[in-house]
Amino acid sequence: MKQIKGVNDFVVKFANVNGTGSASANHLFAKAIFRMGIPVSPRNIFPSNIQGLPTWYEVRVSSKGYLGRRGGVDLMLCVNPQTIEDDLASVEPGGYFVHDSTKPLAPHLKRDDVTFLGIPLTEMCMREFKAARLQQLLKNVVYVGALAALLDINFSILKDLLSDQFKGKEKLISPNVHALEMGYQYVTENFKCPLPIRLQQGVNDAPHIRESEHILMNGNTAAALGAIYGGATVAAWYPITPSTSVVDAFSKYAERMRIDPGTGKKNFAILQAEDELAAMGMVVGASWNGARAFTATSGPGLSLMSEFLGLAYFAEVPVVLIDVQRSGPSTGMPTRSQQSDILAAAYASHGDTKHVLLFPATPRECFDMTVQAFDLAEQLQTPVIMMSDLDLSMNDWMSPPLEWDDDYEMNRGKILDAEGLDSIETWGRYLDIDGDGICYRTLPGTHPSKGAFFTRGSSKNEMAVYSEKGEDYVQNVDRLLRKFETAKSYVPKPKVHDPIPVKKPKTDLKLGALFFGTSASPSYEAVEILAAEGYPIDVMRIRAFPFHESLDAFVHDHEMVFVIEQNRDGQMRQLIMNECHIAPDKLASVLNYSGTPITARTIAAQIRKALDTQGSNVVKLHPETA
């Protein structure tokens, strides 16, 4: 049998039972590789119940710094009998299957092209530890120790991580280190170590990430810090997976950074509303009153918030919403990732409504774009929605460290102070003085007698006086559209990367690829795979809606453009066609909506299939199902 070989380039997957404490041990494994200076990308795939159902943890190790999912499994560590048949089937030919051999494998669980490595995990822990709960928890640590020997993980790093993890609980360090040693010793005594797939420090070639040092961080924590540094003082929310930890983290940091040093009073307010509709109403009220306020939600909450988003759009109140997308519709799969709120967010509410969207691809961008969202919301006096997703928000990503400019000043846009009000003869809340669609506003209490106005969700004229005249309504919504055009020069521009040289192209078509958010990492890798096969593809990463004029030019400059996204209906493709007036046969969808993050192999396979279908730009592209 030909075994898979490789240094710092493989995929390890853990198959566990939810609620058994495995997540902590699996994270220990991934963090140890990161501490060795080797690029790593871990993903937790877990059910929405509390315990008992299958859960998986996938770790991509890539010396080249690929942070997206590759597809396939090189080493499977399975301790869940419920899924063992499927887990074995997912291992690549020549791969490795590590399992608990306390009980023998069923006779039908055989593969001639896989190396089986049985470790009696349960038996070892029952013999060594008395408490049943301790046996279960430390069984996870035992298999981490075993993998340390099999893959050549620096053992001292694992011990240091345990010391950090249990700081203040020193009594727990000794049994955990002992469990590591048990696994390590058993493997070294019974198998040839390390395996042909192994880790080695100092042999990486990662052009994608070599610009600076990196940290491991999840997007929700980064977004919460962005809200802190962006000046947010009010958060209203209703808990919903996977966005809950945004406000949890904001609360934690606000308790440290939003306390008045003189009085000890809190300079922030966090309100848990009765539902998402009420939460957005609170944000609209706080923002109208001059606070920088935000909320965080996921798909079902976005649906409920759409009414108040429409109010904020029409009344022109700054609002920041962090939408952490998950699988839908309805409850869908709450703990699975998708990019399926694109159209719902872009046109949230009824009538002619368009919202500014931001698409972060890394935790660093979650931080930067959250800060920018508050500036944009006040500059444009409109809702700004940051479109994260579960993969980015809840998994740890290698990311450049967060940076902050201490000279930063909040851009509050066109706000008239008392002196400004006194300097003009007539002020109208919805007068477009500068021709950019953005009017001047006031904050409550700015002036003792000037600047007050009523606003409402119904139609009004330029002076904010209620009006049902058709010409007043048309003038207002046309100005809002003009403001949306102005927003194109405010939002982040798309990122274009130099094309990869191809020596012998297999096609004469001028090809392009568009992608956004967490589809970016596997898309970059897929484009490199295809370039090596002779398919030259130019790429552009979308970072905001409304779309910059360069996106329109990119599409028109290519004969066929692939839009890579994680939803069933090609929502970004639809949005581009609608907004840029692109013919449908110019854009081909590359899709994944299985709930697990899209892989480089899936992207490459779908593009390859489309290019092999000569004479048509419209092909039936199947989503990843594994």
Side-chain angles (χ1 to χ4, degrees):
M1 179 180 60
K2 186 177 180 181
Q3 293 180 314
I4 295 173
K5 299 179 180 180
V7 175
N8 297 351
D9 189 12
F10 51 84
V11 175
V12 176
K13 193 170 185 178
F14 299 81
N16 303 102
V17 178
N18 198 36
T20 58
S22 59
S24 177
N26 298 343
H27 182 65
L28 175 71
F29 170 81
K31 201 168 183 179
I33 298 172
F34 175 73
R35 285 274 183 97
M36 290 175 67
I38 299 169
V40 64
S41 181
R43 282 174 174 81
N44 194 15
I45 305 167
F46 59 99
S48 56
N49 76 331
I50 296 174
Q51 62 181 14
L53 288 181
T55 182
W56 294 269
Y57 191 88
E58 184 177 287
V59 180
R60 170 85 184 273
V61 180
S62 171
S63 62
K64 293 185 177 180
Y66 296 130
L67 301 181
R69 291 182 69 222
R70 183 200 71 185
V73 178
D74 300 311
L75 186 152
M76 173 68 75
L77 189 144
C78 182
V79 291
N80 186 0
Q82 299 176 61
T83 63
I84 191 167
E85 191 167 346
D86 289 339
D87 293 329
L88 176 58
S90 69
V91 179
E92 299 272 282
Y96 309 86
F97 189 77
V98 182
H99 61 98
D100 187 348
S101 61
T102 300
K103 293 183 179 180
L105 288 176
H108 71 282
L109 295 173
K110 300 293 183 183
R111 277 184 62 179
D112 295 335
D113 60 349
V114 169
T115 299
F116 288 82
L117 301 166
I119 305 171
L121 298 168
T122 301
E123 178 187 327
M124 292 166 66
C125 290
M126 290 180 68
R127 184 175 63 245
E128 198 72 18
F129 308 107
K130 294 182 180 179
R133 181 59 176 164
L134 201 60
Q135 292 170 0
Q136 176 60 62
L137 292 173
L138 292 180
K139 180 169 72 173
N140 304 317
V141 184
V142 171
Y143 69 59
V144 172
L147 290 175
L150 291 171
L151 301 176
D152 209 8
I153 298 175
N154 188 322
F155 197 83
S156 63
I157 289 178
L158 287 169
K159 292 172 65 175
D160 290 343
L161 286 169
L162 286 174
S163 297
D164 294 342
Q165 181 178 340
F166 295 114
K167 190 174 182 180
K169 301 177 182 179
E170 276 71 19
K171 290 183 180 180
L172 297 175
I173 296 176
S174 179
N176 275 273
V177 171
H178 180 50
L180 280 177
E181 291 170 338
M182 287 168 56
Y184 192 94
Q185 182 178 352
Y186 181 89
V187 166
T188 53
E189 291 176 353
N190 290 276
F191 305 112
K192 184 179 179 181
C193 297
L195 294 174
I197 55 171
R198 58 186 293 267
L199 301 163
Q200 185 176 341
Q201 293 175 264
V203 295
N204 303 316
D205 179 25
H208 298 83
I209 62 170
R210 66 161 63 119
E211 295 118 4
S212 65
E213 295 296 322
H214 278 65
I215 58 175
L216 276 180
M217 182 177 237
N218 66 68
N220 277 356
T221 300
L225 281 167
I228 289 286
Y229 279 82
T233 56
V234 176
W237 68 311
Y238 184 80
I240 179 171
T241 302
S243 69
T244 298
S245 57
V246 174
V247 181
D248 285 344
F250 178 79
S251 176
K252 180 181 73 173
Y253 291 120
E255 290 285 353
R256 289 163 46 186
M257 305 172 74
R258 284 277 187 272
I259 305 297
D260 185 272
T263 64
K265 291 184 178 180
K266 296 180 178 180
N267 291 326
F268 65 95
I270 299 175
L271 306 96
Q272 181 173 327
E274 60 268 32
D275 53 37
E276 289 90 349
L277 182 63
M280 179 55 77
M282 293 174 182
V283 170
V284 172
S287 298
W288 176 85
N289 203 46
R292 283 196 157 185
F294 79 101
T295 187
T297 194
S298 300
L302 174 67
S303 299
L304 286 172
M305 292 175 177
S306 63
E307 183 177 353
F308 269 126
L309 284 168
L311 170 65
Y313 173 82
F314 199 53
E316 298 179 72
V317 178
V319 165
V320 171
L321 167 61
I322 298 169
D323 177 23
V324 185
Q325 299 168 90
R326 72 187 204 187
S327 297
S330 187
T331 304
M333 294 191 291
T335 58
R336 297 293 191 266
S337 191
Q338 276 191 13
Q339 297 173 317
S340 52
D341 295 349
I342 307 303
L343 293 176
Y347 302 129
S349 194
H350 49 278
D352 295 317
T353 311
K354 292 184 181 182
H355 299 297
V356 174
L357 310 181
L358 303 178
F359 300 104
T362 64
R364 170 67 182 272
E365 283 195 335
C366 286
F367 174 79
D368 292 339
M369 286 186 176
T370 302
V371 175
Q372 189 173 15
F374 286 102
D375 282 348
L376 286 171
E378 294 206 289
Q379 287 176 280
L380 298 167
Q381 300 172 31
T382 197
V384 174
I385 307 175
M386 192 179 79
M387 306 296 291
S388 181
D389 62 36
L390 184 146
D391 183 22
L392 177 56
S393 70
M394 296 191 72
N395 288 316
D396 284 333
W397 287 67
M398 284 183 61
S399 174
L402 309 185
E403 294 182 357
W404 185 249
D405 182 0
D406 288 331
D407 294 327
Y408 164 81
E409 293 183 5
M410 291 186 289
N411 190 332
R412 308 216 63 180
K414 297 180 179 181
I415 295 180
L416 288 173
D417 57 15
E419 184 179 349
L421 285 167
D422 283 332
S423 68
I424 57 178
E425 184 175 342
T426 304
W427 171 73
R429 171 64 183 96
Y430 299 108
L431 279 170
D432 184 9
I433 302 298
D434 302 322
D436 57 3
I438 305 171
C439 307
Y440 287 82
R441 66 183 179 119
T442 62
L443 300 180
T446 295
H447 194 284
S449 61
K450 296 181 179 181
F453 67 97
F454 290 105
T455 191
R456 50 169 60 87
S458 51
S459 183
K460 62 270 182 182
N461 64 18
E462 292 176 321
M463 309 307 290
V465 176
Y466 174 75
S467 171
E468 292 191 17
K469 291 181 180 180
E471 56 266 32
D472 287 339
Y473 177 81
V474 169
Q475 183 181 56
N476 205 21
V477 295
D478 283 352
R479 180 183 53 77
L480 289 171
L481 188 58
R482 190 160 62 249
K483 180 169 71 170
F484 197 72
E485 287 296 311
T486 299
K488 292 180 179 180
S489 63
Y490 284 59
V491 299
K493 296 178 181 179
K495 284 204 168 183
V496 180
H497 293 263
D498 294 333
I500 300 171
V502 174
K503 293 182 179 179
K504 295 181 180 180
K506 290 184 178 179
T507 177
D508 294 330
L509 289 173
K510 192 170 184 184
L511 304 173
L514 294 168
F515 43 81
F516 59 97
T518 53
S519 297
S521 292
S523 295
Y524 287 129
E525 182 177 0
V527 166
E528 291 187 23
I529 292 170
L530 292 166
E533 297 174 6
Y535 297 107
I537 302 175
D538 300 327
V539 299
M540 172 179 278
R541 177 163 71 90
I542 301 168
R543 297 200 297 161
F545 174 73
F547 300 126
H548 190 264
E549 60 184 15
S550 60
L551 184 144
D552 191 48
F554 181 88
V555 174
H556 282 96
D557 193 41
H558 292 81
E559 296 171 77
M560 187 175 186
V561 177
F562 299 96
V563 185
I564 303 164
E565 50 187 313
Q566 301 181 64
N567 56 71
R568 184 194 68 184
D569 296 334
Q571 294 184 26
M572 182 62 79
R573 176 177 177 266
Q574 292 184 51
L575 192 61
I576 294 168
M577 288 191 301
N578 189 44
E579 295 293 327
C580 300
H581 308 292
I582 305 296
D585 62 354
K586 188 73 175 285
L587 303 174
S589 285
V590 175
L591 304 174
N592 169 61
Y593 44 91
S594 64
T596 53
I598 194 168
T599 70
R601 289 182 180 179
T602 292
I603 296 167
Q606 291 191 29
I607 292 177
R608 202 181 289 119
K609 180 178 180 179
L611 295 174
D612 288 343
T613 308
Q614 297 296 327
S616 175
N617 289 349
V618 182
V619 294
K620 188 174 182 180
L621 301 170
H622 297 282
E624 177 190 20
T625 56

